[in-house]
Amino acid sequence: MSCFFEVDGETVWNPASAAGRLFVDCARAMERFSGARSGISDPVDDEYAVDPDAFRTFHGRLAALAGGTGNAAVHALTAEFLVVSAVLLERAGATAAAPAGTEPSRWRARLDAMARSMPR
């Protein structure tokens, strides 16, 4: 089985159900950490609606927090979530902020690699 993440009715990601639920569970934890809501709805028939404006704000806040700390655990816990989130944002037509201090070409390479592994 799989689930769907949709922005304005367009599927931006169609992961296996377990991967989708893990992503949403991580998003809920990141909401608490960042103090911003993610804009990811509760599921309806294995579909998650994503509010692109809320998700962009959430991602930016999380990137700023992660990039603004020297805490290695925070970096480790947020790093790949930010990459997956950035791919979703780009598929929704938005630009995703890289964590402060991230070298732009390295960030782009990580996004491109992740995007290739994320089915639509």
Side-chain angles (χ1 to χ4, degrees), residues 48-76:
Y48 296 90
V50 180
D51 175 328
D53 294 328
F55 196 64
R56 184 175 40 256
T57 299
F58 165 71
H59 183 274
R61 174 82 175 128
L62 189 57
L65 286 170
T69 182
N71 187 307
V74 170
H75 286 276

Side-chain angles (χ1 to χ4, degrees), residues 92-114:
T95 301
T102 302
E103 199 276 317
S105 65
R106 183 167 181 230
W107 176 249
R108 180 78 262 152
R110 289 176 67 200
L111 295 183
D112 291 345
M114 185 62 70

Side-chain angles (χ1 to χ4, degrees), residues 4-114:
F4 299 86
F5 289 82
E6 296 189 348
V7 175
D8 297 328
E10 178 184 344
T11 299
V12 293
W13 188 29
N14 178 223
S17 292
R21 285 191 307 270
L22 178 59
F23 178 75
V24 172
D25 288 347
C26 288
R28 300 299 184 238
M30 298 296 174
E31 286 176 331
R32 290 187 299 277
F33 174 70
S34 69
R37 70 178 195 91
S38 67
I40 300 172
S41 73
D42 290 330
V44 175
D45 297 327
D46 293 324
E47 294 179 9
Y48 296 90
V50 180
D51 175 328
D53 294 328
F55 196 64
R56 184 175 40 256
T57 299
F58 165 71
H59 183 274
R61 174 82 175 128
L62 189 57
L65 286 170
T69 182
N71 187 307
V74 170
H75 286 276
L77 291 167
T78 58
E80 295 309 311
F81 180 84
L82 284 167
V83 172
V84 172
S85 297
V87 170
L88 296 182
L89 280 170
E90 287 191 345
R91 289 179 177 177
T95 301
T102 302
E103 199 276 317
S105 65
R106 183 167 181 230
W107 176 249
R108 180 78 262 152
R110 289 176 67 200
L111 295 183
D112 291 345
M114 185 62 70

